[in-house]
Amino acid sequence: MENKTIARTLKLLSQLMELHEENPFKIKSIANAYFKIDKLPFALKDKALSDLDKIDGIGKSLASKVAELLETGALKELQDLIAKTPEGVVEMLSIKGIGPKKIAIIWHVLGIENIGELYYACNENRLIEAKGFGLKTQEEIKKAIEFKIAANGRFLYAQIEGFAKSIFTSLSAWLVSVDHDALLGFAGQYRRSCEIIDELEIIIGAENPEAIILNIDAFAPLTLIQGDNAFHAVTEAGLKVKVILTEKAAFYLEWFKQTGCQAHVDKVLALAGSGPFSNEEDIYNQAGLAFIAPELREDYDEIELAKANQLPVLIKYEDLKGSLHNHSTWSDGVHSLEEMALYCKDQLNLEYLGICDHSKTAVYAKGLNEQRVYAQHQEIDELNRKLAPFKIFKGIESDILSDGSLDYTDEILKTFDFVVASVHSNLRMDEEKATTRLIKAIENPYTTILGHPTGRLLLSRAGYPIDYKKIIDACAANKVVIEINANPLRLDLDWRWHRYALEKGVLLSVNPDAHRTEGFHDMNYGILVARKGGLSADKCLNAFSVDEITQYFERKKP
């Protein structure tokens, strides 16, 4: 059992204990433990059970619970609490914005026992009658439920990537025994690298489609049900899978049709005719267009750019020379500054690391006060001498306060090589206030990068509303870079606004927001959406060499 699974189990236990009003000291102890376990830099399953109580934050009582989980895969105390709690009430704990205390009122006072009833009650204004609830809280709960409903059956690209690759490999191996000359490819949203996937589509081009149909039951990894020229399945997690079958001679045309959005496909085929086509490049050639990469086939301006032969040379992961916006144990990271730097240098072969631990307002994340900023800078100087020519840049993720100011004085801000300005609090401003707040931060002469511009969490929290054009225009006017936060939960700035930013001359930066060494790999997801947005390497800040970015930071300083 992985640490995250153990942490989630203990979190649910603490929530249910709070819901049933058990010992508050015990609840707090378990809540602290799940937070610490989630941040551990090693796997608990690899530790001897007798050593669990020696780990910081895990005493004998909690060690016994962890041991029970590792040995049995379950926790009797949790199962007992679940048994006396309606299933719908347990599900309510997954709704953003309402904790166990409010759910207890919803359950015991209002008599609501599932999310459907709760949503109906919000529409009926019933929640405002209960103690501790008001119209604003009711609306927030309603919106959170709407998000949850919309998210059913929808997955982040990163959530299904491993499964997709695994099923593709299995399908390839199976086809060898049925039709070894068959062609195979991903299609649809997955091939276009969409950030959210509703269905995983795979296409097979077979010399003998009948052989595939007759033997499909032998494909063990999925139970595929035959439909019209396609097979369908739903995984245990709820992901819809569609395997499309076509004649081998028609594979490339069908692959093209099943990849792009419908408007893109219709426009290209209106120019290209009906074929035959020897490959996808041939389709675009016959349409009089330059080849358009799958990521771009979204019916924005890609066809016009292809006609004019002005498509961007899309950025690749290999173009990245460094990683900016990362956290260490100085704030809420898991690995030390040196460990983060060495991983970039030795494992990723990068030229530099931009460390951006949290600023002093982020008390919850051990944000750095002025004295600790000075101490961290001393460590960076020592490491730079030790690791040269690899370089650590002195950065900070400075909180944007409610009025748009940053949370350090200019005297402190000028000591950094670069500053990522981000919003972490007061996320409920209206569009006008949120936009004004961000523009003030952008106009601060020490702001280098605008971090995760909307604060969104895909499939769980909408970003705060902003006027994108005003924000991007302000970044252009003040030479502020906009982050593409590569964490697959964020992918913020949204790729649909990359083109506008690039047209205005704004640089983008693919930042992992890594809190541990594994987090650097999220830059892969940032690159996927950067390609969708039309980003080329010359417009990406962290594709600059160490010398180029050093000069850039120097020129940006007031």
Side-chain angles (χ1 to χ4, degrees), residues 1-44:
M1 184 177 284
E2 301 299 325
N3 286 7
K4 280 195 176 296
T5 306
I6 295 168
R8 281 197 297 266
T9 304
L10 292 175
K11 181 179 181 180
L12 179 58
L13 175 61
S14 71
Q15 289 175 318
L16 286 173
M17 288 171 69
E18 189 174 354
L19 184 67
H20 289 280
E21 299 180 340
E22 295 196 8
N23 187 318
F25 296 102
K26 191 175 176 185
I27 293 167
K28 188 175 180 180
S29 171
I30 293 171
N32 287 337
Y34 80 68
F35 182 79
K36 288 192 175 183
I37 287 170
D38 187 44
K39 297 281 186 182
L40 287 175
F42 53 84
L44 287 172

Side-chain angles (χ1 to χ4, degrees), residues 41-83:
F42 53 84
L44 287 172
K45 65 183 179 182
D46 297 332
K47 293 286 181 183
L49 297 180
S50 58
D51 292 337
L52 292 176
D53 61 350
K54 298 180 180 67
I55 298 169
D56 181 38
I58 302 178
K60 286 191 175 180
S61 176
L62 281 166
S64 67
K65 287 181 172 55
V66 173
E68 184 182 350
L69 276 170
L70 290 170
E71 288 180 319
T72 69
L75 207 54
K76 185 178 184 303
E77 187 177 0
L78 176 60
Q79 291 173 326
D80 291 343
L81 286 170
I82 289 173

Side-chain angles (χ1 to χ4, degrees), residues 391 393 417 541 544-557:
K391 185 167 183 178
F393 287 102
D417 294 315
L541 181 64
F544 288 14
S545 70
V546 66
D547 291 334
E548 290 169 336
I549 201 168
T550 299
Q551 292 171 27
Y552 179 87
F553 289 154
E554 285 299 321
R555 288 195 304 270
K556 178 66 176 75
K557 282 192 173 185

Side-chain angles (χ1 to χ4, degrees), residues 88 91-92 95 98 106 110-128 137-150:
E91 192 181 6
M92 283 183 208
I95 299 173
I98 49 173
I106 290 167
L110 299 178
I112 295 168
E113 294 194 351
N114 62 58
I115 289 175
E117 290 175 1
L118 180 57
Y119 188 67
Y120 182 79
C122 289
N123 284 323
E124 294 289 301
N125 275 338
R126 282 183 53 206
L127 258 65
I128 61 173
T137 303
Q138 179 176 271
E139 284 304 303
E140 288 169 355
I141 291 172
K142 182 181 175 183
K143 285 177 183 176
I145 294 172
E146 285 171 348
F147 255 97
K148 187 171 178 63
I149 291 169

Side-chain angles (χ1 to χ4, degrees), residues 102-307:
K102 278 192 166 59
I103 291 173
I105 295 169
I106 290 167
W107 177 23
H108 296 304
V109 178
L110 299 178
I112 295 168
E113 294 194 351
N114 62 58
I115 289 175
E117 290 175 1
L118 180 57
Y119 188 67
Y120 182 79
C122 289
N123 284 323
E124 294 289 301
N125 275 338
R126 282 183 53 206
L127 258 65
I128 61 173
E129 302 165 7
K131 183 181 178 183
F133 291 81
L135 184 60
K136 187 177 178 183
T137 303
Q138 179 176 271
E139 284 304 303
E140 288 169 355
I141 291 172
K142 182 181 175 183
K143 285 177 183 176
I145 294 172
E146 285 171 348
F147 255 97
K148 187 171 178 63
I149 291 169
N152 285 341
R154 310 186 76 206
F155 296 84
L156 302 179
Y157 181 99
Q159 286 178 303
I160 72 160
E161 184 182 31
F163 169 79
K165 289 178 178 177
S166 170
I167 209 70
F168 192 88
T169 300
S170 298
L171 203 51
S172 298
W174 175 75
L175 280 171
V176 169
S177 63
V178 181
D179 184 344
H180 67 275
D181 288 325
L183 299 171
L184 186 67
F186 285 117
Q189 294 169 326
Y190 188 80
R191 190 177 180 215
R192 297 202 309 275
S193 300
C194 294
E195 66 272 39
I196 294 170
I197 308 295
D198 298 299
E199 184 173 48
L200 178 63
E201 296 175 63
I202 302 173
I203 182 165
I204 299 172
E207 288 280 9
N208 183 5
E210 283 301 316
I212 305 288
I213 293 169
L214 289 171
N215 289 280
I216 198 69
D217 288 345
F219 182 64
L222 280 178
T223 303
L224 291 160
I225 308 300
Q226 187 178 355
D228 296 333
N229 298 320
F231 301 95
H232 302 270
V234 179
T235 68
E236 203 171 292
L239 173 66
K240 289 183 287 185
V241 180
K242 183 180 182 182
V243 179
I244 301 146
L245 182 61
T246 189
E247 298 276 353
K248 188 176 179 181
F251 174 80
Y252 289 104
L253 176 58
E254 195 62 29
W255 196 23
F256 168 78
K257 286 180 178 179
Q258 298 296 337
T259 293
C261 76
Q262 193 60 53
H264 176 95
V265 170
D266 291 344
K267 288 177 182 178
V268 174
L269 290 183
L271 297 169
S274 57
F277 304 108
S278 55
N279 50 46
E280 281 194 315
E281 286 81 357
D282 192 26
I283 296 172
Y284 287 101
N285 285 338
Q286 293 196 37
L289 302 172
F291 177 76
I292 299 174
E295 298 97 320
L296 295 177
R297 301 178 196 175
E298 296 284 3
D299 192 36
Y300 273 62
D301 59 352
E302 70 274 10
I303 292 175
E304 289 71 24
L305 291 172
K307 279 180 183 175

